Amino acid sequence: MPEKINLGDWQQIAPLFDQLDAKVRECRSPADLERWLLDSSELSAALNEEGSLRYIAMTCHTDSPEAEAAYLHFVERIEPELKPRQFKLSKLFLEHPLRLQLPKERYFLFDRNTQLQVELYRPENVPLETEEAKLSQQYQKLIGSLTVQFKGQERTLAQMGRYLEEPDRALRKEAWELMTNRRLQEAEQIETIFEQLLNLREQIAANAGFPDYLQYAFRARGRFDYTPQDCLKFHEAIEKEDMPALRQLQTQRRKQLGLDALRPWDLAVDPANKPPLRPFDKVETLVTDAGEIFSLLDDKMARDFRLMRDMRLLDLENRKGKAPGGYQSTLAESRLPFIFMNAVGMQRDVQTLLHEAGHAFHALAARGEDLLAYREAPIEFCEVASMSMELLGNEFIEKFYKPEDARRARQEHLKGIVEIFPWIATVDAFQHWIYSHPGHSRAARQKAWLELMDRFGGDVDWGGYGDARANWWHRQLHVFIHPFYYIEYGIAQLGALQVWANSKRDKAQALGQYHRALALGGSRPLPELFQAAGCRFDFSSQTVQPLLKLVSDELDKL
Ligand SMILES: [Zn+2]
């Protein structure tokens, strides 16, 4: 890369691709070809980092029109030019006669992923994908625009969420009904958007030569190491091993709240009607206390976190002009992580920082890898890195709390795990049904959804709200925007629970394995990454049962 270049100007970028196109023909030895791969990788990393920097700037300053324009310019003007050029590089690599002489062990995964990109690419799918992106955006816009009148003010559904935590039951019910009815008014439109997406997806799969979108999506997501049948096994394991624990938690909650039946608006409130936990006042305290937790875990984590702090790679506090949410972004060329979040002093903020720090440790661990593709692990394992940190960090959560509150923080986290597995199974099983029943009717889809609500919903009384229950999936963004992307969280949580279980037996060994697995980046297939972290890559009852028993036992102790 030249020292000075404007990566927002395609005229300056294109010659670099031209150079790479020409250079690949001059490769005379496998070593030349490896060098060429590193050069392509560096160009991709630099462009990737440019996109990240612009995204970070925009989310840190939503009130800056310049920052927004700079980001949009990159997305609209640079990225569409990049895709065909990167595709061409992939093809030049695959066609290269020296490719088969590259060291197998080192390159088979890179080779497999490059082949996949080329194999799935269909020029006729490009406009369909643009259409799909537009429809996705239409869904997001619709959901984001919904507001209700509550307590004399217009409020978004996101703002309404916190009223579901109110101890006043009548108020909760009112808030829940308002939100639910508002979404129900759009049910027809949401179904229409979904059906358009469904048609597009079936067409995209057919164009690429697949019998259905299920098969296509598994390929496109690079799921080489598990099959649709494995996902069905996961659903069964959750039904068998998690549902009893969920029902038990629901019964406890019902009794604690003194109710005859748990209604949909009773699920988010603290069952003992306690005020929210307050782990810190100032973000400085969040950083200091989190730093101490990492020091108690091990030196490497403490060092990594200190580095991020010293290099100002943390933007944690909520302030006006910042986008909502939290994320970790990796600056691909500098090989440094950045954490963005909106801390306001809640337990959720502690959880988020631990989670994103796990992603950041992952980025730092894989920093020594020169091939960009191998610095990034598959999502199923990325979330092992982050979810493990939540569990490991929670062991020392006393840094933030008195013993009584620490107990409650741990309890909330573990209950959250028992509660999320069935929802993951529901969302995943629903999509398996949808994309393996081409041409199904709206009524059949609804019936399939309701069967899953029966199977995984537990003991919640929806009496009088049948419509809301039948359309409850309308709120799950992934179904619309990232089809099939959800079970990853379930797979990763199983990994994280194993890391945590190992750490209870031998902390030093478990953390050593964790670090070694993170350092592999994306250079090894999923089962090997899990194995290196000391985990089994398996979603059947055999793996799920002991992990849920551990969570239940811990909850009993708490
Ligand atoms: Zn994450």
Side-chain angles (χ1 to χ4, degrees):
M1 293 295 299
E3 269 198 47
K4 275 198 182 142
I5 181 168
N6 175 3
L7 292 175
D9 178 4
W10 180 248
Q11 300 313 318
Q12 296 186 41
I13 303 167
L16 299 171
F17 278 100
D18 297 340
Q19 274 181 42
L20 284 167
D21 289 354
K23 258 171 89 181
V24 74
R25 293 189 183 91
E26 294 160 17
C27 292
R28 299 279 170 263
S29 67
D32 287 349
L33 189 58
E34 281 189 277
R35 182 69 245 162
W36 179 84
L37 282 176
L38 293 183
D39 287 342
S40 327
S41 174
E42 196 194 349
L43 176 56
S44 295
L47 288 161
N48 189 316
E49 176 160 330
E50 184 69 18
S52 304
L53 288 171
R54 287 174 188 234
Y55 181 76
I56 290 169
M58 178 181 69
T59 51
C60 288
H61 308 282
T62 51
D63 44 6
S64 156
E66 294 82 20
E68 188 188 0
Y71 176 71
L72 287 177
H73 173 83
F74 196 79
V75 171
E76 287 165 4
R77 296 299 165 92
I78 306 299
E79 283 183 347
E81 303 276 4
L82 287 181
K83 280 181 190 160
R85 295 303 302 257
Q86 278 167 334
F87 174 72
K88 188 176 172 196
L89 292 181
S90 296
K91 266 187 81 173
L92 286 170
F93 169 71
L94 290 178
E95 285 159 5
H96 205 282
L98 288 169
R99 175 185 138 228
L100 296 173
Q101 289 178 41
L102 291 176
K104 275 252 151 28
E105 206 31 37
R106 163 86 179 147
Y107 285 101
F108 90 94
L109 202 59
F110 179 82
D111 207 83
R112 187 173 81 177
N113 292 336
T114 312
Q115 281 192 59
L116 181 66
Q117 287 162 22
V118 173
E119 172 198 316
L120 291 178
Y121 185 81
R122 293 288 182 288
E124 64 270 32
N125 275 344
V126 175
L128 299 183
E129 281 159 2
T130 309
E131 190 61 25
E132 190 188 7
K134 274 195 206 156
L135 279 164
S136 300
Q137 211 239 345
Q138 218 176 306
Y139 166 82
Q140 267 181 308
K141 217 173 146 179
L142 173 66
I143 296 291
S145 73
L146 300 183
T147 60
V148 293
Q149 284 292 329
F150 184 64
K151 288 183 162 186
Q153 263 189 43
E154 187 183 18
R155 296 164 205 263
T156 64
L157 299 193
Q159 286 165 343
M160 289 298 290
R162 71 187 195 91
Y163 293 103
L164 299 177
E165 296 170 18
E166 277 286 326
D168 179 348
R169 196 179 190 210
L171 192 77
R172 278 198 318 264
K173 179 177 186 231
E174 187 193 347
W176 187 87
E177 280 183 341
L178 274 172
M179 293 162 76
T180 305
N181 290 336
R182 186 64 196 89
R183 249 193 319 263
L184 271 180
Q185 282 171 26
E186 305 301 329
E188 181 62 33
Q189 206 186 332
I190 295 174
E191 290 280 339
T192 307
I193 293 176
F194 185 72
E195 281 163 5
Q196 287 171 311
L197 282 165
L198 186 59
N199 288 338
L200 278 171
R201 286 171 187 159
E202 283 173 352
Q203 190 58 50
I204 287 171
N207 288 349
F210 287 83
D212 59 39
Y213 187 76
L214 175 90
Q215 304 294 327
Y216 172 84
F218 267 68
R219 199 84 179 142
R221 296 202 157 275
R223 293 179 177 177
F224 288 98
D225 304 301
Y226 58 101
T227 63
Q229 284 66 42
D230 292 323
C231 297
L232 301 184
K233 260 197 268 170
F234 171 79
H235 310 155
E236 281 161 26
I238 294 304
E239 185 175 18
K240 186 160 163 255
E241 313 298 346
D242 191 300
M243 287 311 293
L246 177 74
R247 290 204 149 91
Q248 202 187 335
L249 285 183
Q250 288 174 332
T251 306
Q252 258 174 30
R253 163 175 284 274
R254 182 175 58 73
K255 286 185 181 157
Q256 265 186 293
L257 288 170
L259 304 171
D260 295 332
L262 216 50
R263 308 283 285 173
W265 47 87
D266 297 323
L267 305 175
V269 63
D270 180 75
N273 275 340
K274 285 193 188 140
L277 290 167
R278 288 271 163 218
F280 60 92
D281 285 329
K282 290 196 187 120
V283 165
E284 278 165 54
T285 319
L286 170 65
V287 174
T288 312
D289 291 357
E292 284 180 27
I293 290 183
F294 297 131
S295 304
L296 289 170
L297 280 164
D298 70 25
D299 291 346
K300 176 155 175 42
M301 290 180 191
R303 261 199 320 274
D304 283 356
F305 192 67
R306 212 175 307 126
L307 172 106
M308 296 193 67
R309 197 177 168 172
D310 293 346
M311 293 190 75
R312 310 213 294 157
L313 297 165
L314 306 168
D315 188 336
L316 308 183
E317 74 194 311
N318 172 263
R319 57 169 188 271
K320 196 164 171 278
K322 230 171 133 175
Y327 64 79
Q328 185 272 333
S329 173
T330 302
L331 305 175
E333 200 186 23
S334 319
R335 307 187 189 181
L336 289 170
F338 174 81
I339 297 179
F340 172 98
M341 59 182 274
N342 281 282
V344 289
M346 294 165 64
Q347 165 54 20
R348 201 184 53 206
D349 300 329
V350 176
Q351 219 60 54
T352 304
L353 182 57
L354 291 172
H355 180 101
E356 305 306 341
H359 287 308
F361 296 156
H362 206 175
L364 288 169
R367 201 164 192 234
E369 169 61 58
D370 285 327
L371 207 54
L372 173 65
Y374 282 176
R375 289 203 290 277
E376 297 162 345
I379 185 90
E380 292 90 341
F381 192 71
C382 288
E383 296 300 330
V384 175
S386 55
M387 289 172 162
S388 298
M389 278 315 304
E390 293 183 41
L391 285 157
L392 295 169
N394 271 349
E395 297 285 305
F396 301 103
I397 205 76
E398 277 82 0
K399 283 283 153 206
F400 286 95
Y401 295 112
K402 301 191 297 274
E404 176 59 26
D405 283 347
R407 205 168 60 91
R408 197 176 136 202
R410 279 192 197 110
Q411 237 173 2
E412 281 182 13
H413 182 240
L414 294 177
K415 283 182 187 173
I417 293 176
V418 174
E419 286 161 1
I420 195 69
F421 274 128
W423 182 247
I424 293 172
T426 307
V427 172
D428 190 59
F430 185 49
Q431 299 189 85
H432 276 258
W433 187 91
I434 288 175
Y435 295 105
S436 53
H437 289 79
H440 65 258
S441 69
R442 209 176 269 193
R445 181 162 69 239
Q446 194 169 89
K447 186 166 166 275
W449 170 256
L450 285 170
E451 280 168 16
L452 288 167
M453 286 290 279
D454 289 341
R455 192 174 162 202
F456 293 111
D459 302 319
V460 179
D461 177 4
W462 287 75
Y465 297 91
D467 266 2
R469 188 168 183 258
N471 292 295
W472 201 237
W473 62 276
H474 286 177
R475 63 211 295 279
Q476 188 61 49
L477 170 123
H478 294 71
V479 177
F480 296 83
I481 296 182
H482 308 293
F484 282 106
Y485 173 26
Y486 211 57
I487 196 169
E488 283 84 345
Y489 291 105
I491 296 171
Q493 188 65 267
L494 293 178
L497 286 169
Q498 292 181 77
V499 171
W500 182 54
N502 293 344
S503 81
K504 287 185 172 296
R505 282 189 292 270
D506 184 340
K507 190 177 128 201
Q509 192 196 16
L511 292 182
Q513 288 173 320
Y514 174 84
H515 288 303
R516 278 194 294 281
L518 264 54
L520 292 172
S523 66
R524 307 304 305 165
L526 262 182
E528 282 183 44
L529 295 175
F530 270 67
Q531 197 185 18
C535 312
R536 294 161 52 133
F537 184 73
D538 168 73
F539 336 140
S540 68
S541 279
Q542 217 189 349
T543 302
V544 174
Q545 194 272 337
L547 295 174
L548 276 161
K549 180 165 184 325
L550 173 64
V551 172
S552 294
D553 289 351
E554 288 287 320
L555 274 170
D556 287 344
K557 274 193 241 166
L558 290 167

